[in-house]
Amino acid sequence: MSALALAVSNPAPRVRTEQDDVAVVVLGTGLVGGTLLRLLEETAGRRRGLRLVGIANSRHSLLDSSGLTPPLIEKLEQAPGCDLDAVAAVLFASEARVRIVIDATPAAVVAQRHARWLAQGIHVVTANKIAQGGSLKDWQDLQQARHSGGTHYGDSATVGAGLPALASLRRLRRCGDRLAALDGVLSGSLSFLFNRYDGTRPFSALLQEARERGYTEPDPRADLSGTDVARKLLILARTAGVELAESAIEVEGLVPAHLAALSSTEFAGRLGEIDAFVDARFRAAQAEGKVLRYLASLDSDGSARVGLRAVAANHPCAALSGADNLFAFTTERYRERPLVVVGPGAGAEVTAQGLLADALEIAG
Ligand SMILES: NC(=O)c1ccc[n+]([C@@H]2O[C@H](COP(=O)([O-])OP(=O)(O)OC[C@H]3O[C@@H](n4cnc5c(N)ncnc54)[C@H](OP(=O)(O)O)[C@@H]3O)[C@@H](O)[C@H]2O)c1
């Protein structure tokens, strides 16, 4: 037999590189997902490799188990419609040791798949809060799926964007410490809005600015209604071992009922209708020498609330700036003074970095 025939019937084994061990699909190519794709490209030479085998948005999906090559977005725009069913298939076809889906969408249909992926042996990293911050049953299903699949759920970016809020809570819990109370500003967009609002510029103009800076949810009513903050409070409470139901949180929203049912485009054209309500609350707080903040709290008796509060000028939340978040954890061992985590709590760069950090931690 000739050497050539030998080579054909017995091909040299493919040399596996470090990159081959971790296959990743990124869902969502908007502010956060798009920034993550850029970070993956920029840091490719400096970190342990992640092989990108798929990207998708609501309109297209581009999948290749051997790895995608640039220009990613141009190729995605030419690809067929979004097929979430194909995500698990491409990850298994990659034969990678570690398979990760990164969810950078706000979509419930994507969140509904997290538990299935975890149970199948696919790790999930997410900025999407819906699966953990929704019904208690969904939360319990996720925990169950994680156990049965032996997988990890990278959720740092769901609360505090890139801040170590959930990580701090888990460290305390691992040491046997118990959360007694939690207070804070959990929304970067609402923090920005109330840190900046001084009555000289309409609230709706600031809201528009927050949207342009990428601080708000795709539909800002998710922020203004308090839903997004309530989801974060649920995630924090559940992470601390307090399995709260959604209905246990008292939520004060800032969206008048007549604007709640509009489409997001119609709502965008009527932002000005919120101005009078916010201004009245602002003037009332000012008359008492206080400032307005949108706060979340969980008390030792399990009562939980999110809403607008007038706080004294020396309150820690009064001194925040930009889109800062603040988490004050009072625990058995931090009972005199709380453990405080504070810093920027919104923005595409810090959120994408939170996702990348979780993915790298899972990659090992
Ligand atoms: N922005 C922040 O500062 C921040 C901070 C913390 C957490 N987050 C979270 O990060 C997530 C993304 O936020 P973003 O600001 O990047 O939103 P965005 O700019 O609106 O981007 C959302 C992306 O998700 C895609 N998408 C929507 N539904 C989908 C579906 N069913 N299947 C596949 N892709 C789908 C969209 O597709 P199209 O391009 O086709 O519309 C878009 O690419 C949200 O869950 C948000 O809560 C954001």
Side-chain angles (χ1 to χ4, degrees), residues 1-358:
M1 189 184 284
S2 72
L4 180 65
L6 231 184
V8 170
S9 62
N10 219 349
R14 186 167 156 256
V15 179
R16 293 183 75 84
T17 68
E18 211 184 34
Q19 278 211 356
D20 285 334
D21 274 334
V22 187
V24 175
V25 172
V26 174
L27 303 177
T29 56
L31 280 172
V32 174
T35 306
L36 174 65
L37 291 174
R38 183 171 55 71
L39 283 186
L40 284 169
E41 214 174 300
E42 279 174 12
T43 59
R46 279 181 273 136
R47 56 162 169 79
R48 185 190 169 80
L50 305 176
R51 182 174 19 139
L52 188 64
V53 298
I55 55 174
N57 55 27
S58 69
R59 295 158 287 124
H60 307 279
S61 48
L62 179 67
L63 307 164
D64 182 343
S65 61
S66 59
L68 300 177
T69 51
L72 296 173
I73 300 300
E74 285 87 331
K75 288 181 181 172
L76 177 66
E77 293 299 324
Q78 308 296 320
C82 175
D83 181 4
L84 292 175
D85 288 333
V87 167
V90 76
L91 285 166
F92 284 110
S94 75
E95 293 180 24
R97 176 184 57 88
V98 179
R99 300 167 288 270
I100 307 175
V101 172
I102 304 183
D103 180 357
T105 79
V109 289
V110 180
Q112 278 156 12
R113 291 176 181 257
H114 289 184
R116 205 180 320 158
W117 285 326
L118 290 169
Q120 281 178 297
I122 296 170
H123 306 282
V124 176
V125 169
T126 184
N128 180 344
K129 294 167 270 290
I130 295 175
Q132 287 210 107
S135 77
L136 191 53
K137 160 104 179 40
D138 285 351
W139 158 271
Q140 287 160 343
D141 288 350
L142 267 187
Q143 310 315 312
Q144 176 62 35
R146 205 163 50 79
H147 286 300
S148 68
T151 40
H152 294 284
Y153 195 64
D155 57 3
S156 320
T158 59
V159 178
L163 296 177
L166 294 174
S168 303
L169 209 44
R170 291 194 171 109
R171 272 173 72 97
L172 296 173
R173 248 196 121 185
R174 268 202 299 277
C175 300
D177 203 353
R178 278 166 42 96
L179 186 72
L182 164 77
D183 289 290
V185 169
L186 312 190
S187 160
S189 54
L190 292 173
S191 179
F192 173 82
L193 290 168
F194 289 103
N195 294 340
R196 293 281 291 273
Y197 188 71
D198 61 4
T200 59
R201 215 174 137 203
F203 187 75
S204 52
L206 277 177
L207 183 58
Q208 192 53 41
E209 188 183 334
R211 282 189 83 172
E212 284 159 15
R213 287 171 178 250
Y215 293 158
T216 67
E217 287 298 305
D219 182 337
R221 278 173 297 186
D223 302 276
L224 297 171
S225 65
T227 310
D228 189 63
V229 176
R231 284 202 177 115
K232 290 174 182 168
L233 186 57
L234 280 175
I235 296 172
L236 285 159
R238 290 167 178 175
T239 301
V242 183
E243 295 209 345
L244 283 189
E246 283 173 293
S247 56
I249 300 193
E250 190 190 318
V251 180
E252 180 194 13
L254 306 179
V255 182
H258 70 280
L259 298 181
L262 300 180
S263 72
S264 54
T265 322
E266 285 168 332
F267 176 71
R270 293 176 61 176
L271 292 181
E273 293 177 38
I274 303 178
D275 290 344
F277 166 76
V278 173
D279 199 56
R281 293 290 293 267
F282 173 77
R283 305 275 165 212
Q286 202 178 35
E288 294 177 37
K290 293 181 171 174
V291 297
L292 273 189
R293 292 292 181 262
Y294 198 89
L295 300 185
S297 57
L298 172 70
D299 293 331
S300 50
D301 61 359
S303 59
R305 181 179 185 279
V306 305
L308 262 190
R309 265 190 14 219
V311 298
N314 63 356
H315 188 284
C317 295
L320 296 179
S321 62
D324 280 359
N325 278 191
L326 184 146
F327 304 84
F329 300 115
T330 303
T331 69
E332 274 177 11
R333 294 173 194 146
Y334 284 93
R335 60 178 173 272
E336 302 299 329
R337 295 173 62 234
L339 183 150
V340 176
V341 176
V342 65
E349 295 265 331
V350 291
T351 309
Q353 180 158 277
L355 291 173
L356 179 59
D358 275 358

